[in-house]
Structure formats: structure tokens, C-alpha cells
Amino acid sequence: MSNRQILQAMSGLMAGMFVAILAGTVVSNALPRIIADLGASQSSYTWVVTAELLAMTATVPLWGKLSDLYNQKLLLQLSLGLFVVGSLLAGFSHDVGLLIFSRVAQGIGAGGLTALAQVVMAAIIPPRRLGRYAGIFGAVFAVGTVAGPLIGGVLVDTSWLGWRWCFFIGVPFALLAIALLQRTLHLPTVRREAKIDYLGASLIVAGVCALLIWVTLAGNEFDWASWQTAALTGGGVLLLVLAVLVEAKVAEPVIPLGIFRNRTVTLTTVASLFVGVAMFGGTVFLSQYFQVSLGKSPTIAGLMSLPMILGLLVSSTVAGQIISSTGRWKVYVVAGGVTMTVGLGLLSTIGADTPFGLLSLYMAIMGIGVGMLMQNLVLAAQNDVPAAELGAATSVLSFFRSMGGTIGTSVLGAILANRVASEMTKSLQGAGAATGGGQAGHGGVPDMSALPAPMRDIVEHAYGVATAELFLVATPFAALALIAVLFIKEKPLKTTSGMERLSEEAGDGAPPRVEAGTWPDGMPQSPPAAGQTGRTKGGCAPLRK
């Protein structure tokens, strides 16, 4: 494919990714207001975030497997449709229960977008050229991450719109992405005899959900050492053991266990898990820190995240261009791991009185590290697996990164709530205060505008100390990701796309056998008649007598 054809095909992919990114970022600055309006608690704040991550994590492997069996464009459009349904439900929510349910629907759709966009990119772009387009990926990520909080802040601060439009605003973008995919992305529909391992998929989803629900609820709804903990952890582990036994025996496993014999896949998977814990777990509460601890409005809180996003954008774009030119990638992955670890360590020193200039420097350092590390882990794994396993390998990395993010968000959310409560209790006792803090004193997210000045100072200090502790806990996980990256063996980047490699691996150099569907250029195609081989290499159909 020429650069022009690739850019056309990527337009729908990038629109879909923009929708998925916008879903998470546009809500970030609105969540404190949403939770306060619905009268929910700090644990509900965490659940609104983790519900989407949990659904995305649990379904990514299934989406990845489906992409190896069915038309990837149709699957992308289906995931966008699920996202639209979830967004509409979220916008019309009148209680936190429906809001969390709608976030699950959004998460299932986002899981499809996360897995399939990277699978399709690997199918049409050779790894050696992928870095050049990864910069566009990074740009879309940066724009969505920057625009989301800003848009969300403006919507929340505009009285005649409100936080519900944070969910509605993604719907037109999702519909545009569906239309662009239909018009610009043309992939052959490969038909082959295959069976989806529904039993294995169900066991994986149930086991992962049980463990993630335990991580989310333990310490809040019940004690870490309790019968609920034993039931959820024991049941989750048992379900995952059964899933491994099933996956080892079926012909078409959801997660082919054989790919873990590949050292690169195993190490990038471990690194992705720790990156998810450190990055998602550490940054998801930044907006709350800006608004509660620093006393900023939702719009200003969106602007304050710009240094981190600009660092990510610049580093991912520059590193992608250099990797495409030189073919060397490991040095940038290692540098990204070092920089991310340093950035998180610096952010663990912040407080309610940290100057914005210093805070911006720390966020930019972390963003630069994430930009060099996250996407290039996927590139390294995709470069080292057979083309037939591209979907499985990509989805496994996305699965473990999302699972790390869910675990990090849940655990660090519990740490935040407990540390805020202990700091406020200590401050109130030290001041000899006998008055409670309203919602802030009972696990709720405080409405800062309704608090008296002395109480506001106590809450700001508590959230500043607690947020710094989150980054301190996240730093060792970034260091573990760096250790895993150091042991990855650098291999030359391939110069053929996934579809070309699939043809080579078939042994005859011919394209995969295709039934009635479309050619990559979008022209209708019928099965070849007897004695015919279909189109010639140049793309013309054989002349009939």
C-alpha cells in the first residue's frame, strides 16, 4: 500500500481511537462534579473509572481472537456501536448504578477499539514503517487526551450544558468513525474453518472479573482478611486455572499459550502489566488532585495536564520517526522506562503547595517516558510473532496493560481514600475541631465550594499528601517494567506487512484464499470459477472467452 492509501485507511482507525481516548479523558475533570451531584462516595468514584477498565480488560483477548477469524472492519464498527450505546446510557443516568453499568458497555466497545486498531495497523503496515505512523497515533492520543479534559471542563462549567454532555459528545465522533471505516478501510474477508473457544473465553472473563472485583472492594466494603476475600480470590484463581487447562487443549484458544514461549512476547507482556499499574494508577487521580487539592476549576484542571501530554506527543513522534529511519528500537524503550520511573519518583514529592512550574516539569518527564515506552512495546512483540498470531499477541499485551491499569486504579484508589481519611482525622484532632467534614469526612468526594476556609485547607492538604503517596507506590512498578525491558533481545524490524507475511508463511507466496467479499481496494469479488486462480498479481481479473 502507498502512503496515501495507508493514510486513508488509517483515518477511520484514528477517528475510532480518538473516540476511545475521549471517553476516558472527557470524564476525568467532570467526575468530582458527577459524584458530588449523584451523592456517591469515593469508592463510587473509583468504580466509575474501573468499570470501563475492567470490561475493556476482560474482553480484549476475545476481540483479538475474533480479529484472527472474522472481518476486522466489521468488528471495529461493532465495537463503535457498543460504545455509542454505552455513551447514551451514561448521559441519561440518574444514579451511580446505571452510570457504572453504562461504563461497562463503553469498556466493551473500547476493548474492541484498543485491540483491533493495532491489529489492523500491523496487518497493513510493515514493522519497519510502523514507527512513522505511530507518530500519528501519538498525535491522536495527545489531541484526545488534551482536548478531552478541556472539553469536559467547559461542559461542566457551562450551566446550560452540564456533565451529561461529557458522554453525549462522543456519539457523533463514533458515528463519523463508523462511516470513515466503511469508506476507507478495505480488507479481504478471510474465511477458514475455525471455532471460537467460548468456554475458555467465559472462564477467562469470569476469573479476571472475580480478582478485579476483589481488588476494588477489599479494604472498603470488606476487610482484606475476610471470607469475601477468600471466596473471590479462590474462585478467581480456580477459574483461571480451569481456563489454562481448556486453552491448552482446544484447537482455537482465545489466548494461545504457545506465544508465551516467545521470550519477546513474555517480557513485553510483563512490562505492559507494570506500565499499566504505574501509568493508569498514578495519573487517573491527577484531575482530582488539581481540583480538590489545588482548588482549580475543571477547565483549568484540563489545561494543567498539558505538559504531560505534550511530552508524550513529542517523544512518541520523534522516537517513531527515528525508529523507522534506523530500525533500532530497544534504546528508546529502555530510555522510556528510565524516564517514566524518574518522572513518577519526582511526582511522589508533590503537595498542596507545589508550584505549577515544578509540577509541569515532573509531568513532562513522565509523559516523555510513557511516549517512548508504551507503543514500542507493542511494536517489539508484533515484529517477533508469526502473522497468524498478530491478533493474539497484540490483544495479550493490551489485556495485561489494561489489567494493570484496573488493578492500579483500584488499589491506589483504596490507598487514596484511606490516606485522605487518616490525614483529615489527624488534622482535625490537631486543631481540636469537633465538627465533621460533611461528605469529606465520610468517604465522599467533597464539594470544595461548600466548605468553610479552615476545613478547605485541611481537605486540600489531605488530598495533596494522599496523591503524592499514590505516585510513590506506583514508582516501583515502573522500575519493574524497566527491568523486564532490559532483558528483551533486539531483533531487526521486518519490512513486510502482516498480510504479506501471512502469504509468505502459507508457503506458496499466494494471498490467503478468499471467499466472496471485497478486495483490498474495495472492488467486489466473487470466488474464482473452476480453472481460474482469481485476480492476477497486477490486480486485473483474467479475461473470459
Side-chain angles (χ1 to χ4, degrees), residues 128 130-132 134-135 311-329 331-333 335-336 368-373 375-376 379 493:
R128 180 63 184 268
L130 196 58
R132 183 183 308 165
L312 188 152
L313 170 61
V314 171
S315 66
S316 64
T317 303
V318 173
Q321 294 290 337
I322 297 175
I323 289 171
S324 290
S325 300
T326 64
R328 304 295 299 273
W329 51 267
V331 62
Y332 302 102
V333 175
I368 290 170
V370 172
M372 286 193 287
L373 178 63
Q375 187 62 28
N376 290 322
L379 173 64
L493 295 177

PDB file of all heavy atoms in Angstrom, residues 128 130-132 134-135 311-329 331-333 335-336 368-373 375-376 379 493:
ATOM      1  N   ARG A 128       8.880  -2.055  10.045  1.00  0.00           N
ATOM      2  CA  ARG A 128       9.922  -1.057   9.812  1.00  0.00           C
ATOM      3  C   ARG A 128       9.322   0.319   9.518  1.00  0.00           C
ATOM      4  O   ARG A 128       9.923   1.352   9.819  1.00  0.00           O
ATOM      5  CB  ARG A 128      10.814  -1.503   8.637  1.00  0.00           C
ATOM      6  CG  ARG A 128      11.957  -0.534   8.303  1.00  0.00           C
ATOM      7  CD  ARG A 128      12.935  -0.402   9.453  1.00  0.00           C
ATOM      8  NE  ARG A 128      13.971   0.586   9.185  1.00  0.00           N
ATOM      9  CZ  ARG A 128      15.157   0.312   8.641  1.00  0.00           C
ATOM     10  NH1 ARG A 128      15.462  -0.935   8.321  1.00  0.00           N
ATOM     11  NH2 ARG A 128      16.039   1.256   8.435  1.00  0.00           N
ATOM     12  N   LEU A 130       6.224   1.132  10.615  1.00  0.00           N
ATOM     13  CA  LEU A 130       5.159   1.401  11.581  1.00  0.00           C
ATOM     14  C   LEU A 130       5.483   2.589  12.482  1.00  0.00           C
ATOM     15  O   LEU A 130       4.583   3.321  12.906  1.00  0.00           O
ATOM     16  CB  LEU A 130       4.917   0.147  12.431  1.00  0.00           C
ATOM     17  CG  LEU A 130       3.618   0.084  13.234  1.00  0.00           C
ATOM     18  CD1 LEU A 130       2.414   0.206  12.320  1.00  0.00           C
ATOM     19  CD2 LEU A 130       3.539  -1.224  14.012  1.00  0.00           C
ATOM     20  N   GLY A 131       6.777   2.799  12.776  1.00  0.00           N
ATOM     21  CA  GLY A 131       7.151   3.912  13.637  1.00  0.00           C
ATOM     22  C   GLY A 131       6.725   5.252  13.084  1.00  0.00           C
ATOM     23  O   GLY A 131       6.340   6.163  13.827  1.00  0.00           O
ATOM     24  N   ARG A 132       6.791   5.380  11.736  1.00  0.00           N
ATOM     25  CA  ARG A 132       6.398   6.637  11.105  1.00  0.00           C
ATOM     26  C   ARG A 132       4.932   6.956  11.374  1.00  0.00           C
ATOM     27  O   ARG A 132       4.557   8.100  11.624  1.00  0.00           O
ATOM     28  CB  ARG A 132       6.634   6.516   9.593  1.00  0.00           C
ATOM     29  CG  ARG A 132       6.331   7.773   8.803  1.00  0.00           C
ATOM     30  CD  ARG A 132       6.542   7.504   7.319  1.00  0.00           C
ATOM     31  NE  ARG A 132       7.858   6.918   7.075  1.00  0.00           N
ATOM     32  CZ  ARG A 132       8.194   6.322   5.933  1.00  0.00           C
ATOM     33  NH1 ARG A 132       7.318   6.220   4.956  1.00  0.00           N
ATOM     34  NH2 ARG A 132       9.413   5.827   5.779  1.00  0.00           N
ATOM     35  N   ALA A 134       3.201   5.510  13.856  1.00  0.00           N
ATOM     36  CA  ALA A 134       2.977   5.549  15.300  1.00  0.00           C
ATOM     37  C   ALA A 134       2.986   6.989  15.802  1.00  0.00           C
ATOM     38  O   ALA A 134       2.353   7.311  16.805  1.00  0.00           O
ATOM     39  CB  ALA A 134       4.043   4.717  16.028  1.00  0.00           C
ATOM     40  N   GLY A 135       3.723   7.869  15.104  1.00  0.00           N
ATOM     41  CA  GLY A 135       3.698   9.289  15.462  1.00  0.00           C
ATOM     42  C   GLY A 135       2.312   9.883  15.299  1.00  0.00           C
ATOM     43  O   GLY A 135       1.865  10.691  16.122  1.00  0.00           O
ATOM     44  N   GLY A 311       4.670  16.220  26.386  1.00  0.00           N
ATOM     45  CA  GLY A 311       5.841  15.361  26.494  1.00  0.00           C
ATOM     46  C   GLY A 311       5.617  14.022  25.820  1.00  0.00           C
ATOM     47  O   GLY A 311       6.493  13.508  25.103  1.00  0.00           O
ATOM     48  N   LEU A 312       4.436  13.443  26.014  1.00  0.00           N
ATOM     49  CA  LEU A 312       4.107  12.165  25.371  1.00  0.00           C
ATOM     50  C   LEU A 312       4.064  12.312  23.855  1.00  0.00           C
ATOM     51  O   LEU A 312       4.595  11.465  23.119  1.00  0.00           O
ATOM     52  CB  LEU A 312       2.760  11.675  25.908  1.00  0.00           C
ATOM     53  CG  LEU A 312       2.314  10.269  25.526  1.00  0.00           C
ATOM     54  CD1 LEU A 312       1.402   9.699  26.616  1.00  0.00           C
ATOM     55  CD2 LEU A 312       1.541  10.258  24.210  1.00  0.00           C
ATOM     56  N   LEU A 313       3.439  13.383  23.372  1.00  0.00           N
ATOM     57  CA  LEU A 313       3.310  13.602  21.931  1.00  0.00           C
ATOM     58  C   LEU A 313       4.678  13.750  21.272  1.00  0.00           C
ATOM     59  O   LEU A 313       4.976  13.093  20.265  1.00  0.00           O
ATOM     60  CB  LEU A 313       2.458  14.853  21.674  1.00  0.00           C
ATOM     61  CG  LEU A 313       2.414  15.379  20.238  1.00  0.00           C
ATOM     62  CD1 LEU A 313       1.828  14.340  19.307  1.00  0.00           C
ATOM     63  CD2 LEU A 313       1.612  16.674  20.157  1.00  0.00           C
ATOM     64  N   VAL A 314       5.517  14.597  21.832  1.00  0.00           N
ATOM     65  CA  VAL A 314       6.829  14.859  21.226  1.00  0.00           C
ATOM     66  C   VAL A 314       7.685  13.600  21.238  1.00  0.00           C
ATOM     67  O   VAL A 314       8.299  13.225  20.232  1.00  0.00           O
ATOM     68  CB  VAL A 314       7.537  16.013  21.966  1.00  0.00           C
ATOM     69  CG1 VAL A 314       8.978  16.147  21.482  1.00  0.00           C
ATOM     70  CG2 VAL A 314       6.781  17.318  21.752  1.00  0.00           C
ATOM     71  N   SER A 315       7.738  12.900  22.373  1.00  0.00           N
ATOM     72  CA  SER A 315       8.612  11.730  22.467  1.00  0.00           C
ATOM     73  C   SER A 315       8.147  10.599  21.571  1.00  0.00           C
ATOM     74  O   SER A 315       8.963   9.943  20.906  1.00  0.00           O
ATOM     75  CB  SER A 315       8.700  11.249  23.919  1.00  0.00           C
ATOM     76  OG  SER A 315       7.451  10.763  24.372  1.00  0.00           O
ATOM     77  N   SER A 316       6.827  10.341  21.491  1.00  0.00           N
ATOM     78  CA  SER A 316       6.343   9.245  20.644  1.00  0.00           C
ATOM     79  C   SER A 316       6.556   9.554  19.172  1.00  0.00           C
ATOM     80  O   SER A 316       6.932   8.671  18.390  1.00  0.00           O
ATOM     81  CB  SER A 316       4.858   8.978  20.911  1.00  0.00           C
ATOM     82  OG  SER A 316       4.067  10.091  20.539  1.00  0.00           O
ATOM     83  N   THR A 317       6.366  10.819  18.776  1.00  0.00           N
ATOM     84  CA  THR A 317       6.542  11.190  17.371  1.00  0.00           C
ATOM     85  C   THR A 317       8.008  11.127  16.965  1.00  0.00           C
ATOM     86  O   THR A 317       8.360  10.527  15.941  1.00  0.00           O
ATOM     87  CB  THR A 317       5.992  12.610  17.126  1.00  0.00           C
ATOM     88  OG1 THR A 317       4.618  12.661  17.523  1.00  0.00           O
ATOM     89  CG2 THR A 317       6.101  12.973  15.654  1.00  0.00           C
ATOM     90  N   VAL A 318       8.866  11.721  17.755  1.00  0.00           N
ATOM     91  CA  VAL A 318      10.295  11.744  17.421  1.00  0.00           C
ATOM     92  C   VAL A 318      10.878  10.334  17.451  1.00  0.00           C
ATOM     93  O   VAL A 318      11.600   9.914  16.532  1.00  0.00           O
ATOM     94  CB  VAL A 318      11.054  12.673  18.394  1.00  0.00           C
ATOM     95  CG1 VAL A 318      12.556  12.569  18.162  1.00  0.00           C
ATOM     96  CG2 VAL A 318      10.587  14.109  18.210  1.00  0.00           C
ATOM     97  N   ALA A 319      10.570   9.561  18.502  1.00  0.00           N
ATOM     98  CA  ALA A 319      11.091   8.200  18.589  1.00  0.00           C
ATOM     99  C   ALA A 319      10.586   7.346  17.437  1.00  0.00           C
ATOM    100  O   ALA A 319      11.343   6.539  16.868  1.00  0.00           O
ATOM    101  CB  ALA A 319      10.701   7.574  19.925  1.00  0.00           C
ATOM    102  N   GLY A 320       9.323   7.512  17.043  1.00  0.00           N
ATOM    103  CA  GLY A 320       8.775   6.748  15.924  1.00  0.00           C
ATOM    104  C   GLY A 320       9.486   7.035  14.624  1.00  0.00           C
ATOM    105  O   GLY A 320       9.799   6.120  13.842  1.00  0.00           O
ATOM    106  N   GLN A 321       9.770   8.311  14.357  1.00  0.00           N
ATOM    107  CA  GLN A 321      10.471   8.684  13.131  1.00  0.00           C
ATOM    108  C   GLN A 321      11.899   8.113  13.114  1.00  0.00           C
ATOM    109  O   GLN A 321      12.366   7.602  12.088  1.00  0.00           O
ATOM    110  CB  GLN A 321      10.521  10.209  13.001  1.00  0.00           C
ATOM    111  CG  GLN A 321       9.159  10.871  12.791  1.00  0.00           C
ATOM    112  CD  GLN A 321       8.567  10.565  11.418  1.00  0.00           C
ATOM    113  OE1 GLN A 321       9.267  10.248  10.482  1.00  0.00           O
ATOM    114  NE2 GLN A 321       7.252  10.648  11.330  1.00  0.00           N
ATOM    115  N   ILE A 322      12.583   8.199  14.244  1.00  0.00           N
ATOM    116  CA  ILE A 322      13.961   7.694  14.296  1.00  0.00           C
ATOM    117  C   ILE A 322      13.989   6.174  14.149  1.00  0.00           C
ATOM    118  O   ILE A 322      14.846   5.613  13.452  1.00  0.00           O
ATOM    119  CB  ILE A 322      14.636   8.127  15.612  1.00  0.00           C
ATOM    120  CG1 ILE A 322      14.742   9.657  15.679  1.00  0.00           C
ATOM    121  CG2 ILE A 322      16.019   7.508  15.740  1.00  0.00           C
ATOM    122  CD1 ILE A 322      15.272  10.179  16.989  1.00  0.00           C
ATOM    123  N   ILE A 323      13.033   5.486  14.782  1.00  0.00           N
ATOM    124  CA  ILE A 323      12.979   4.026  14.675  1.00  0.00           C
ATOM    125  C   ILE A 323      12.739   3.597  13.234  1.00  0.00           C
ATOM    126  O   ILE A 323      13.359   2.646  12.733  1.00  0.00           O
ATOM    127  CB  ILE A 323      11.892   3.462  15.616  1.00  0.00           C
ATOM    128  CG1 ILE A 323      12.342   3.599  17.073  1.00  0.00           C
ATOM    129  CG2 ILE A 323      11.593   2.001  15.291  1.00  0.00           C
ATOM    130  CD1 ILE A 323      11.265   3.273  18.086  1.00  0.00           C
ATOM    131  N   SER A 324      11.833   4.294  12.535  1.00  0.00           N
ATOM    132  CA  SER A 324      11.576   3.969  11.126  1.00  0.00           C
ATOM    133  C   SER A 324      12.816   4.202  10.268  1.00  0.00           C
ATOM    134  O   SER A 324      13.052   3.486   9.297  1.00  0.00           O
ATOM    135  CB  SER A 324      10.404   4.802  10.591  1.00  0.00           C
ATOM    136  OG  SER A 324       9.191   4.387  11.171  1.00  0.00           O
ATOM    137  N   SER A 325      13.612   5.211  10.609  1.00  0.00           N
ATOM    138  CA  SER A 325      14.808   5.533   9.808  1.00  0.00           C
ATOM    139  C   SER A 325      15.956   4.570  10.081  1.00  0.00           C
ATOM    140  O   SER A 325      16.684   4.180   9.158  1.00  0.00           O
ATOM    141  CB  SER A 325      15.260   6.970  10.102  1.00  0.00           C
ATOM    142  OG  SER A 325      14.247   7.892   9.787  1.00  0.00           O
ATOM    143  N   THR A 326      16.140   4.176  11.334  1.00  0.00           N
ATOM    144  CA  THR A 326      17.306   3.383  11.708  1.00  0.00           C
ATOM    145  C   THR A 326      17.016   1.903  11.908  1.00  0.00           C
ATOM    146  O   THR A 326      17.921   1.068  11.806  1.00  0.00           O
ATOM    147  CB  THR A 326      17.919   3.930  13.004  1.00  0.00           C
ATOM    148  OG1 THR A 326      16.972   3.777  14.077  1.00  0.00           O
ATOM    149  CG2 THR A 326      18.264   5.407  12.863  1.00  0.00           C
ATOM    150  N   GLY A 327      15.760   1.571  12.228  1.00  0.00           N
ATOM    151  CA  GLY A 327      15.429   0.187  12.534  1.00  0.00           C
ATOM    152  C   GLY A 327      15.817  -0.240  13.935  1.00  0.00           C
ATOM    153  O   GLY A 327      15.578  -1.378  14.330  1.00  0.00           O
ATOM    154  N   ARG A 328      16.400   0.644  14.735  1.00  0.00           N
ATOM    155  CA  ARG A 328      16.807   0.338  16.119  1.00  0.00           C
ATOM    156  C   ARG A 328      15.737   0.858  17.075  1.00  0.00           C
ATOM    157  O   ARG A 328      15.339   2.019  17.000  1.00  0.00           O
ATOM    158  CB  ARG A 328      18.148   0.997  16.431  1.00  0.00           C
ATOM    159  CG  ARG A 328      19.275   0.629  15.483  1.00  0.00           C
ATOM    160  CD  ARG A 328      19.632  -0.841  15.580  1.00  0.00           C
ATOM    161  NE  ARG A 328      20.084  -1.204  16.913  1.00  0.00           N
ATOM    162  CZ  ARG A 328      21.343  -1.093  17.319  1.00  0.00           C
ATOM    163  NH1 ARG A 328      22.275  -0.610  16.483  1.00  0.00           N
ATOM    164  NH2 ARG A 328      21.697  -1.445  18.535  1.00  0.00           N
ATOM    165  N   TRP A 329      15.288   0.006  17.999  1.00  0.00           N
ATOM    166  CA  TRP A 329      14.183   0.413  18.849  1.00  0.00           C
ATOM    167  C   TRP A 329      14.453   0.221  20.352  1.00  0.00           C
ATOM    168  O   TRP A 329      13.853   0.891  21.180  1.00  0.00           O
ATOM    169  CB  TRP A 329      12.915  -0.363  18.487  1.00  0.00           C
ATOM    170  CG  TRP A 329      13.100  -1.862  18.436  1.00  0.00           C
ATOM    171  CD1 TRP A 329      13.403  -2.606  17.338  1.00  0.00           C
ATOM    172  CD2 TRP A 329      13.015  -2.788  19.530  1.00  0.00           C
ATOM    173  NE1 TRP A 329      13.512  -3.942  17.669  1.00  0.00           N
ATOM    174  CE2 TRP A 329      13.273  -4.088  19.000  1.00  0.00           C
ATOM    175  CE3 TRP A 329      12.746  -2.660  20.885  1.00  0.00           C
ATOM    176  CZ2 TRP A 329      13.271  -5.228  19.784  1.00  0.00           C
ATOM    177  CZ3 TRP A 329      12.741  -3.795  21.686  1.00  0.00           C
ATOM    178  CH2 TRP A 329      13.000  -5.073  21.119  1.00  0.00           C
ATOM    179  N   VAL A 331      16.887   0.935  22.426  1.00  0.00           N
ATOM    180  CA  VAL A 331      17.437   2.040  23.205  1.00  0.00           C
ATOM    181  C   VAL A 331      16.336   3.013  23.622  1.00  0.00           C
ATOM    182  O   VAL A 331      16.368   3.569  24.731  1.00  0.00           O
ATOM    183  CB  VAL A 331      18.544   2.763  22.404  1.00  0.00           C
ATOM    184  CG1 VAL A 331      17.997   3.365  21.121  1.00  0.00           C
ATOM    185  CG2 VAL A 331      19.218   3.835  23.259  1.00  0.00           C
ATOM    186  N   TYR A 332      15.313   3.184  22.766  1.00  0.00           N
ATOM    187  CA  TYR A 332      14.229   4.130  23.081  1.00  0.00           C
ATOM    188  C   TYR A 332      13.264   3.524  24.106  1.00  0.00           C
ATOM    189  O   TYR A 332      12.708   4.242  24.945  1.00  0.00           O
ATOM    190  CB  TYR A 332      13.497   4.514  21.805  1.00  0.00           C
ATOM    191  CG  TYR A 332      14.439   5.119  20.790  1.00  0.00           C
ATOM    192  CD1 TYR A 332      14.909   4.368  19.721  1.00  0.00           C
ATOM    193  CD2 TYR A 332      14.902   6.419  20.936  1.00  0.00           C
ATOM    194  CE1 TYR A 332      15.812   4.906  18.805  1.00  0.00           C
ATOM    195  CE2 TYR A 332      15.799   6.961  20.028  1.00  0.00           C
ATOM    196  CZ  TYR A 332      16.257   6.196  18.969  1.00  0.00           C
ATOM    197  OH  TYR A 332      17.158   6.730  18.080  1.00  0.00           O
ATOM    198  N   VAL A 333      13.084   2.205  24.041  1.00  0.00           N
ATOM    199  CA  VAL A 333      12.229   1.547  25.029  1.00  0.00           C
ATOM    200  C   VAL A 333      12.878   1.616  26.415  1.00  0.00           C
ATOM    201  O   VAL A 333      12.219   1.912  27.417  1.00  0.00           O
ATOM    202  CB  VAL A 333      11.970   0.085  24.610  1.00  0.00           C
ATOM    203  CG1 VAL A 333      11.200  -0.649  25.686  1.00  0.00           C
ATOM    204  CG2 VAL A 333      11.199   0.025  23.299  1.00  0.00           C
ATOM    205  N   ALA A 335      15.189   3.820  27.409  1.00  0.00           N
ATOM    206  CA  ALA A 335      15.183   5.221  27.837  1.00  0.00           C
ATOM    207  C   ALA A 335      13.797   5.633  28.340  1.00  0.00           C
ATOM    208  O   ALA A 335      13.674   6.391  29.317  1.00  0.00           O
ATOM    209  CB  ALA A 335      15.618   6.120  26.678  1.00  0.00           C
ATOM    210  N   GLY A 336      12.750   5.130  27.678  1.00  0.00           N
ATOM    211  CA  GLY A 336      11.387   5.431  28.131  1.00  0.00           C
ATOM    212  C   GLY A 336      11.117   4.874  29.514  1.00  0.00           C
ATOM    213  O   GLY A 336      10.499   5.540  30.357  1.00  0.00           O
ATOM    214  N   ILE A 368       7.142  12.025  28.649  1.00  0.00           N
ATOM    215  CA  ILE A 368       8.195  11.650  27.688  1.00  0.00           C
ATOM    216  C   ILE A 368       8.509  10.156  27.823  1.00  0.00           C
ATOM    217  O   ILE A 368       8.656   9.440  26.822  1.00  0.00           O
ATOM    218  CB  ILE A 368       9.458  12.501  27.934  1.00  0.00           C
ATOM    219  CG1 ILE A 368       9.200  13.952  27.511  1.00  0.00           C
ATOM    220  CG2 ILE A 368      10.654  11.935  27.173  1.00  0.00           C
ATOM    221  CD1 ILE A 368      10.294  14.920  27.932  1.00  0.00           C
ATOM    222  N   GLY A 369       8.596   9.667  29.047  1.00  0.00           N
ATOM    223  CA  GLY A 369       8.885   8.251  29.257  1.00  0.00           C
ATOM    224  C   GLY A 369       7.790   7.348  28.723  1.00  0.00           C
ATOM    225  O   GLY A 369       8.065   6.352  28.040  1.00  0.00           O
ATOM    226  N   VAL A 370       6.537   7.687  29.004  1.00  0.00           N
ATOM    227  CA  VAL A 370       5.415   6.872  28.525  1.00  0.00           C
ATOM    228  C   VAL A 370       5.368   6.875  26.998  1.00  0.00           C
ATOM    229  O   VAL A 370       5.124   5.841  26.362  1.00  0.00           O
ATOM    230  CB  VAL A 370       4.088   7.395  29.111  1.00  0.00           C
ATOM    231  CG1 VAL A 370       2.900   6.697  28.466  1.00  0.00           C
ATOM    232  CG2 VAL A 370       4.058   7.194  30.623  1.00  0.00           C
ATOM    233  N   GLY A 371       5.634   8.027  26.383  1.00  0.00           N
ATOM    234  CA  GLY A 371       5.594   8.126  24.923  1.00  0.00           C
ATOM    235  C   GLY A 371       6.615   7.230  24.244  1.00  0.00           C
ATOM    236  O   GLY A 371       6.340   6.641  23.187  1.00  0.00           O
ATOM    237  N   MET A 372       7.800   7.101  24.817  1.00  0.00           N
ATOM    238  CA  MET A 372       8.825   6.254  24.219  1.00  0.00           C
ATOM    239  C   MET A 372       8.596   4.775  24.506  1.00  0.00           C
ATOM    240  O   MET A 372       9.040   3.913  23.741  1.00  0.00           O
ATOM    241  CB  MET A 372      10.209   6.669  24.738  1.00  0.00           C
ATOM    242  CG  MET A 372      10.736   7.962  24.164  1.00  0.00           C
ATOM    243  SD  MET A 372      12.491   8.214  24.513  1.00  0.00           S
ATOM    244  CE  MET A 372      12.416   8.604  26.258  1.00  0.00           C
ATOM    245  N   LEU A 373       7.923   4.463  25.595  1.00  0.00           N
ATOM    246  CA  LEU A 373       7.838   3.076  26.047  1.00  0.00           C
ATOM    247  C   LEU A 373       6.590   2.344  25.569  1.00  0.00           C
ATOM    248  O   LEU A 373       6.694   1.254  24.990  1.00  0.00           O
ATOM    249  CB  LEU A 373       7.891   3.052  27.584  1.00  0.00           C
ATOM    250  CG  LEU A 373       7.777   1.688  28.255  1.00  0.00           C
ATOM    251  CD1 LEU A 373       8.943   0.795  27.862  1.00  0.00           C
ATOM    252  CD2 LEU A 373       7.727   1.847  29.774  1.00  0.00           C
ATOM    253  N   GLN A 375       3.935   2.405  23.233  1.00  0.00           N
ATOM    254  CA  GLN A 375       3.623   1.926  21.894  1.00  0.00           C
ATOM    255  C   GLN A 375       4.736   1.037  21.339  1.00  0.00           C
ATOM    256  O   GLN A 375       4.469   0.104  20.572  1.00  0.00           O
ATOM    257  CB  GLN A 375       3.377   3.117  20.963  1.00  0.00           C
ATOM    258  CG  GLN A 375       2.882   2.739  19.572  1.00  0.00           C
ATOM    259  CD  GLN A 375       1.542   2.014  19.603  1.00  0.00           C
ATOM    260  OE1 GLN A 375       0.744   2.217  20.522  1.00  0.00           O
ATOM    261  NE2 GLN A 375       1.307   1.173  18.635  1.00  0.00           N
ATOM    262  N   ASN A 376       5.975   1.282  21.693  1.00  0.00           N
ATOM    263  CA  ASN A 376       7.081   0.495  21.154  1.00  0.00           C
ATOM    264  C   ASN A 376       7.158  -0.899  21.757  1.00  0.00           C
ATOM    265  O   ASN A 376       7.778  -1.789  21.168  1.00  0.00           O
ATOM    266  CB  ASN A 376       8.403   1.241  21.352  1.00  0.00           C
ATOM    267  CG  ASN A 376       8.503   2.465  20.454  1.00  0.00           C
ATOM    268  OD1 ASN A 376       8.062   2.436  19.311  1.00  0.00           O
ATOM    269  ND2 ASN A 376       9.055   3.541  20.971  1.00  0.00           N
ATOM    270  N   LEU A 379       5.140  -2.728  19.266  1.00  0.00           N
ATOM    271  CA  LEU A 379       5.933  -2.884  18.036  1.00  0.00           C
ATOM    272  C   LEU A 379       6.911  -4.054  18.169  1.00  0.00           C
ATOM    273  O   LEU A 379       7.048  -4.872  17.248  1.00  0.00           O
ATOM    274  CB  LEU A 379       6.696  -1.586  17.755  1.00  0.00           C
ATOM    275  CG  LEU A 379       7.712  -1.615  16.607  1.00  0.00           C
ATOM    276  CD1 LEU A 379       7.004  -1.850  15.286  1.00  0.00           C
ATOM    277  CD2 LEU A 379       8.511  -0.316  16.572  1.00  0.00           C
ATOM    278  N   LEU A 493      13.743  -4.990  12.588  1.00  0.00           N
ATOM    279  CA  LEU A 493      12.337  -4.823  12.240  1.00  0.00           C
ATOM    280  C   LEU A 493      12.069  -5.362  10.841  1.00  0.00           C
ATOM    281  O   LEU A 493      12.829  -5.100   9.898  1.00  0.00           O
ATOM    282  CB  LEU A 493      11.937  -3.345  12.319  1.00  0.00           C
ATOM    283  CG  LEU A 493      11.986  -2.722  13.718  1.00  0.00           C
ATOM    284  CD1 LEU A 493      11.630  -1.244  13.645  1.00  0.00           C
ATOM    285  CD2 LEU A 493      11.053  -3.436  14.681  1.00  0.00           C
TER     286      LEU A 493
END
